[in-house]
Amino acid sequence: MQKTALITGITGQDGSYLAEFLLDHGYRVVGMTRRTSTEVHERIEHLFGKIEIISGDLLDQSSMQAIVAEVRPVEIYNLAAQSFVPASWTQPVLTGEFTALGVTRLLEAVRHVDASIRVYQASSSEMFGKVTEVPQRESTPFYPRSPYGVAKVYGHWITVNYRESYDLFACSGILFNHESPRRGKEFVTRKISDGVARIKCGLATELRLGNLEAQRDWGFAGDYVEAMWLMLQAERPDDYVIATGRTHSVRDFVRIAFEVAGLGAYEPYVTIDPRFVRPAEVDMLIGDAAKARERLQWTPKVSFEELVEMMVRADVDRLGAHAR
Ligand code: NAP
Ligand code: G4F
């Protein structure tokens, strides 16, 4: 029988890759979207006709429960969240409502409608924040450095708690940064690839950034959605770190991006703008995904250098085609 999956946050970067992955694996895919006056669904437009869309909001308990009852999925992927770290300082309460309490609303809906539904919760390496261990693994203590990180810690523990309290098949995927040409332009990797492409196409002369020394363990989003699915296919529910095991600075990303575009050295183009420096920074993240490798047979395929090249080339092609 065809399996049904419900994805919250299907309009986001990960939602679009996960929907493609699940369709390829024969699923009926239903995506939850919130109502807006203008519908912007550019990441999933190519999937219209293959996926179903249902209206709901993480802020609204009754809509969550009604959706779970109507769709009757066997798997739910909870990807919806306020996911941009700087916005969590300007909208800390809303971030808590979406990113923290939204998880409880979903788990409550599952518990009341059908406790056999398997649930994936999108947790984050931001929970490690001011890291207490290098590299970070499932047992590394959390020390979040932003309201977003704090909200994700709540989402992680409520997932663990519902698993232990109600025997739900609920998994928390602690994913390190993952990027793609579909990444939102406010995140640093896409801001860089888009900015470099603009300079290359003569549409801009500079790129304004914050802290170039921050280090992240960056992977490709297409590889990471496979790990989400693998967690829900396992015999037992558990929590997993998903990462490449390599770390690079924002400066590394910038340098390679300018080289890929054939612009040479980045220094003449890059300006440090204090507006993009955070009140509290996560200086360095590097994950140890040994548990996922051993128990789920998951490994990332796209390297850091391939990722930078993929993103820069996609933006140069997009803007170049526009300019022609
Ligand atoms: P994203 O591109 O920002 O997508 C977020 C999604 O959440 C969008 O579809 C958004 O819908 C939806 N959403 C936000 N508030 C909602 C609400 N109140 N009700 C319903 N939907 C709502 O994020 P992403 O990069 O795909 O990440 C997916 C998830 O993984 C997020 O939970 C994120 O925090 C987490 N995560 C991401 C990374 C990463 O590196 N990408 C790493 C670790 C964890 P709209 O289109 O309506 O805004
Ligand atoms: O790309 P970022 O905004 O991602 P960040 O804060 O690491 O969060 C992302 O990854 C998390 C997983 O660890 C997710 F949970 C979260 O939802 C999101 O997807 O910033 C990366 C680094 C930071 O250290 C930041 O200070 O880049 C630095 N940075 C330097 N200049 C900048 C900029 N970040 C942004 N967004 N814009 C800049 O101009």
Side-chain angles (χ1 to χ4, degrees):
M1 224 175 70
Q2 190 182 30
K3 282 180 159 183
T4 297
L6 173 66
I7 304 176
T8 74
I10 195 167
T11 56
Q13 170 190 257
D14 291 6
S16 66
Y17 282 107
L18 180 63
E20 287 170 2
F21 179 92
L22 293 174
L23 286 171
D24 285 348
H25 283 71
Y27 280 70
R28 168 185 170 231
V29 175
V30 183
M32 188 189 89
T33 62
R34 51 185 170 163
R35 204 205 83 81
T36 47
S37 64
T38 46
E39 286 195 356
V40 185
H41 290 161
E42 63 179 59
R43 294 192 184 97
I44 51 168
E45 261 163 20
H46 62 295
L47 300 176
F48 285 174
K50 296 183 189 157
I51 57 172
E52 296 165 44
I53 295 295
I54 193 161
S55 180
D57 200 302
L58 279 183
L59 296 183
D60 189 69
Q61 180 70 52
S62 64
S63 73
M64 299 301 299
Q65 193 142 333
I67 285 171
V68 176
E70 188 184 328
V71 175
R72 285 296 176 144
V74 293
E75 293 167 14
I76 298 181
Y77 296 86
N78 185 36
L79 309 185
Q82 189 302 93
S83 76
F84 188 46
V85 172
S88 76
W89 277 287
T90 53
Q91 301 183 338
V93 176
L94 192 67
T95 300
E97 287 286 355
F98 283 13
T99 305
L101 283 178
V103 186
T104 311
R105 292 190 189 97
L106 178 69
L107 292 167
E108 274 292 286
V110 168
R111 181 166 86 84
H112 287 294
V113 175
D114 178 358
S116 74
I117 297 170
R118 296 186 171 204
V119 181
Y120 171 82
Q121 166 56 20
S123 294
S124 165
S125 53
E126 274 288 305
M127 300 190 301
F128 296 123
K130 191 169 178 179
V131 301
T132 55
E133 189 179 21
V134 177
Q136 296 84 52
R137 49 179 71 94
E138 291 79 5
S139 55
T140 303
F142 299 138
Y143 191 148
R145 292 275 281 170
S146 62
Y148 168 84
V150 174
K152 282 288 179 187
V153 171
Y154 175 93
H156 169 82
W157 281 117
I158 201 73
T159 303
V160 173
N161 180 262
Y162 270 54
R163 183 167 74 218
E164 294 175 355
S165 303
Y166 305 115
D167 207 20
L168 292 191
F169 194 110
C171 302
S172 172
I174 307 174
L175 271 53
F176 283 61
N177 298 51
H178 45 280
E179 320 291 316
S180 74
R182 297 183 199 168
R183 186 61 141 152
K185 285 184 195 155
E186 66 275 37
F187 298 94
V188 78
T189 56
R190 183 74 198 286
K191 184 175 173 183
I192 296 166
S193 66
D194 180 67
V196 164
R198 281 179 187 282
I199 294 169
K200 175 77 178 169
C201 296
L203 302 170
T205 53
E206 67 163 359
L207 175 58
R208 303 184 81 84
L209 294 168
N211 176 15
L212 298 188
E213 309 316 325
Q215 290 174 266
R216 291 290 183 275
D217 180 330
W218 276 297
F220 170 53
D223 289 344
Y224 284 40
V225 298
E226 183 193 14
M228 299 175 186
W229 176 76
L230 286 169
M231 284 180 218
L232 296 198
Q233 311 315 306
E235 213 166 293
R236 274 185 300 278
D238 209 337
D239 309 319
Y240 295 90
V241 158
I242 301 298
T244 70
R246 290 176 70 203
T247 193
H248 292 92
S249 64
V250 173
R251 190 183 294 281
D252 291 336
F253 198 107
V254 170
R255 183 177 44 75
I256 298 174
F258 275 87
E259 283 169 12
V260 167
L263 290 167
Y266 67 86
E267 286 88 345
Y269 302 104
V270 173
T271 306
I272 303 303
D273 187 332
R275 283 181 305 151
F276 300 115
V277 176
R278 299 177 181 187
E281 179 63 288
V282 172
D283 295 318
M284 197 275 289
L285 292 173
I286 179 166
D288 175 1
K291 182 173 166 184
R293 204 166 46 242
E294 283 154 24
R295 300 201 193 162
L296 305 176
Q297 282 76 55
W298 177 84
T299 46
K301 296 174 187 75
V302 177
S303 72
F304 175 73
E305 292 75 13
E306 288 166 343
L307 176 67
V308 182
E309 184 165 349
M310 178 201 303
M311 292 180 70
V312 172
R313 293 215 184 286
D315 275 321
V316 170
D317 287 351
R318 183 178 56 84
L319 291 170
H322 247 268
R324 280 196 289 274

